[in-house]
Amino acid sequence: MKNARLTNEQLLVDESLLFVGNGYLGLRGNFEEGYPSHFQTIRGTYINGFYEDVLINYGESAYGFPKTAQKMLNIIDGQTIVIRIDDDEFSLFEGEVLSFDRKLDIWEGYNERNIDWISPKGHHLLIKIRKMTSFEQLELAVIEYAVTSVNYSGNISILSTLDGNVINYADENDPRVSSEQARWLYVDNVGIRDRNFAQVTSVTKQSGLKVTATMGHDIDVEYEVKENIIVAFKHDSIQQGETLTFSKFLVYVDSVRSKESENEGLKILKEAIEKSSQYWFDIQKRHLETFWKVAKIEVDGDASVEEALNYSAYQLYASAGRDAFSNISAKGLSGEGYEGHYFWDTEIYMLPFFILTQPDIAKNLLAFRYQTLDMARDRALMMGHKKGAKIPWRTISGTECSAYFPAGSAQYHINADVAYAYIQYYLFSQDIDFMKQIGYEVILETARIWLEIGHFDDKGQFKIPAVTGPDEYTAIVNNNYYTNSMAKYHMYWVCKLSREFGETDVEWYRKMQKQLIIDEAEIFEMEKAYQHMYLPYSEELGIYWQDDTFKDKADWDFESTPKNKYPLLLHYHPLTIYRYRVLKQADTLLAYFLLDHVSEEIMNRSYDFYERLTTHDSSLSPCVHSIMAAKLHKAEKAYQFFMKTVRLDLDNLHHNTKDGLHIANAGGAYMSIVYGFAGLRIKEDGLHLNPIMPKEWKRICFRIYYQQALITITMAEKLTIETTKPIEVVVNHKAYTIEDEIHLEYEVTSK
Ligand code: BGC
């Protein structure tokens, strides 16, 4: 029987789709026994925040270019398990596969394969394999096997390895993954510990980091050390009708978090094995029950949409760093695209999910920018600024890793994006202490950059030259609308918090003034800058220009661009792209969504203008169009863009899911429901909803936390809002106080 999922192309995609992760550790969904030797595989295990510093080789360098970049490393591989009966090695590519299925169980937190297989010699086996990384013990991965013999009695052997010979994936033709194939991780120590456990420790050369992998099994095995590989094996026998079960335990401890990675690894492993694999699968399920109580999204009318939405929520959860050393990389822990870097993706696309459903994780993600603020300060000085902090465009430990500044360091908007996320969290939680302890400092330091790079022109308007906005198909322009309007909002908030907190807590403000060397003239300057911020507007078209260059450019010739020339970045020189009105991703429309500050007429005209110029070559784009279309009552469009978002990875729509999942897009799928169809916004005057139900569905239901209340929002024939504490909500511009439950009319698009 041919199984479409067994082609090499699909296997690579499935390695990403079925990865198991817990925010700290990620294992790609590789087959334990491997593929045929001529197949390609990206066999990967990753730790969030574990990296090597790699020299950047510039053809022509210039002042201030980062000298090194960080790279998330593929670490010691413990996935391999091989089963042999009567000299036949189990493989889905040998013998006869009577049935095969695999899945990621997002409700219970593991991936699973079920195989009904006849070996080349005719022995019939049923094999079930479950693999997970634990949400309760982040260093732990468990792989569980159950092998049932249908017609065979005889020998069976199990071979299981821990392999230090690992390298990262590279593709020199795709700028979105690393182009350099090299070894970054060196085995330092290999050995057997306490007779029953195997351990490999590897080190990097530049970043000075170390990782230890410790392996054990819940059956007795013998070990053999072969250079950098430890092989565990067991020769056993099986009877017809019998099921043999065993589990492999892997523990990864790194020097970023522990000084004693070897001893700590061994300790965790021993305790884990003692508790049994069943215990870990059981508490994984319980852990996720708590998660799903809030995170689950229900959509009646399309089961595949509901499945894909919850898949996205799960992958966000599986990707988010849980400690001070990590954040969420563009691909989470599912692959090596963008080399494990953290971008603005976190603040603008992923954080909304965490703020609304997992506020503690949100807080931690926000705190990451505080932990790394000193590096952002150094970077600002390096960029020629006198003060302030410049958030790196892409990073792991906090230093700038972008080698292509027109679409990297020039994206100053990331400073405002980080501030925006802090403000959203504050509006959501009213957590004044958090803002005083870390939020204010981050917002102030990042806002200082606007005064550094902007200036007042002869009419007194504040202008910001030479930046790149979110749309990477337009680079280094003056007065990018997104950047200017976000900077305006950013400085407004610095002034507001300085005033409000300064009045209510004089002592704290004095301390801040001293520590951050704030004088009132600076705050006054920011006030003037945001009040007189220049925003490029076309009187003729009645829209905001994306930037000052837009009016002088011709439209890209879409009609003569064949489908196979997309994404444009892989087929045209950047300058060719920069010369035209063509967008990689939402830019002005994104500002409208986040700030919700211009009239619907302008938004409407802008939507039509920019939509036809947008390629959506970035996965960060369709969701914004869906949200804005919903806002503008374009239900059909909102639905179409939502469908492009929600199945982007499941259907491999960008043809690069093999390099990892598009986690910002997963956040975008969530936002398309909550901010799009439900029209939720958290503003200074409270929580807003402007719901619109697409005709394709009958009911949408989700839960959010808001100011210590758990709120259930259901859109069916009526809009129902249930809350565990009294709240104020503005629905379709009308304010309501809800004690526990309310039912309201809203816009349902007809069939
Ligand atoms: C997008 C950026 C994004 C990056 C990582 C690029 O293709 O243009 O906006 O931050 O991918 O997801």
Side-chain angles (χ1 to χ4, degrees), residues 463-482:
K463 292 189 163 169
I464 304 180
V467 296
T468 297
D471 165 30
E472 294 187 350
Y473 283 175
T474 307
I476 317 188
V477 290
N478 296 344
N479 299 307
N480 166 255
Y481 176 81
Y482 178 91

Side-chain angles (χ1 to χ4, degrees), residues 554-571:
D555 291 355
W556 180 268
D557 185 359
F558 290 98
E559 263 173 33
S560 321
T561 310
K563 270 206 161 102
N564 62 7
K565 293 285 184 199
Y566 293 94
L568 300 183
L569 68 103
L570 294 185
H571 303 279

Side-chain angles (χ1 to χ4, degrees), residues 42 77 115 126 208 227 282 311 361 401 421:
I42 305 173
D77 176 28
I115 306 121
L126 304 175
E227 303 228 349
D282 286 349
Y311 176 81
I361 296 182
C401 293

Side-chain angles (χ1 to χ4, degrees), residues 330 338 343-345 393 472 584-585 618 620:
Y338 290 118
F343 292 77
W344 70 310
D345 302 29
W393 177 244
E472 294 187 350
K584 184 181 182 190
Q585 62 205 98
S618 160
L620 278 62

Side-chain angles (χ1 to χ4, degrees), residues 19 181 195 259 341 400 495 502 534 567 618 623:
F19 99 98
Q181 183 98 62
R195 294 198 49 207
K259 287 200 173 64
H341 291 161
E400 178 62 273
C495 299
Y534 165 78
S618 160
C623 62

Side-chain angles (χ1 to χ4, degrees), residues 28 37 61 100 112 118 155 189 317 402 421 428 615 655 670:
R28 279 173 66 82
S37 57
S61 188
F100 161 63
E112 178 177 297
I118 300 190
N155 294 333
N189 199 6
Y317 192 60
S402 171
F428 153 86
T615 57
H655 310 290
Y670 175 80

Side-chain angles (χ1 to χ4, degrees), residues 504-689:
T504 50
D505 192 345
V506 179
E507 207 178 308
W508 170 84
Y509 192 55
R510 280 214 190 104
K511 198 175 120 210
M512 282 292 122
Q513 280 182 312
K514 210 163 147 209
Q515 189 182 316
L516 304 172
I517 319 172
I518 311 168
D519 66 44
E520 281 315 299
E522 185 183 16
I523 302 295
F524 180 68
E525 191 78 351
M526 279 197 199
E527 195 149 23
K528 217 168 85 187
Y530 86 71
Q531 282 169 353
H532 297 97
M533 182 65 75
Y534 165 78
L535 299 168
Y537 185 71
S538 163
E539 292 292 346
E540 194 189 332
L541 301 176
I543 63 166
Y544 282 100
W545 288 121
Q546 184 168 310
D547 58 68
D548 283 351
T549 67
F550 241 59
K551 56 181 181 301
D552 297 324
K553 286 179 179 168
D555 291 355
W556 180 268
D557 185 359
F558 290 98
E559 263 173 33
S560 321
T561 310
K563 270 206 161 102
N564 62 7
K565 293 285 184 199
Y566 293 94
L568 300 183
L569 68 103
L570 294 185
H571 303 279
Y572 298 88
H573 190 280
L575 279 172
T576 308
I577 299 174
Y578 296 166
R579 223 164 264 136
Y580 293 92
R581 283 183 194 154
V582 56
L583 280 69
K584 184 181 182 190
Q585 62 205 98
D587 195 299
T588 308
L589 296 184
L590 179 58
Y592 293 166
F593 155 43
L594 298 176
L595 301 172
D596 211 7
H597 59 329
V598 301
S599 72
E600 273 203 26
E601 292 76 43
I602 295 180
M603 287 194 201
N604 244 313
R605 287 190 295 263
S606 303
Y607 184 95
D608 294 341
F609 181 82
Y610 289 109
E611 196 223 294
R612 67 181 176 86
L613 299 173
T614 307
T615 57
H616 306 289
D617 282 351
S618 160
S619 68
L620 278 62
S621 193
C623 62
V624 178
H625 284 251
S626 176
I627 294 166
M628 280 309 293
K631 153 117 198 141
L632 299 169
H633 311 273
K634 301 172 193 286
E636 199 61 43
K637 284 254 177 225
Y639 180 76
Q640 282 163 10
F641 278 116
F642 170 76
M643 291 308 277
K644 285 193 180 148
T645 303
V646 77
R647 296 200 63 87
L648 185 129
D649 277 318
L650 289 171
D651 296 339
N652 194 15
L653 297 181
H654 276 224
H655 310 290
N656 65 348
T657 295
K658 75 171 193 343
D659 299 325
L661 303 176
H662 299 78
I663 305 295
N665 175 76
Y670 175 80
M671 287 200 295
S672 302
I673 293 290
V674 173
Y675 291 74
F677 295 118
L680 186 143
R681 300 287 185 277
I682 307 173
K683 297 190 187 177
E684 263 183 272
D685 64 351
L687 188 67
H688 290 243
L689 290 171

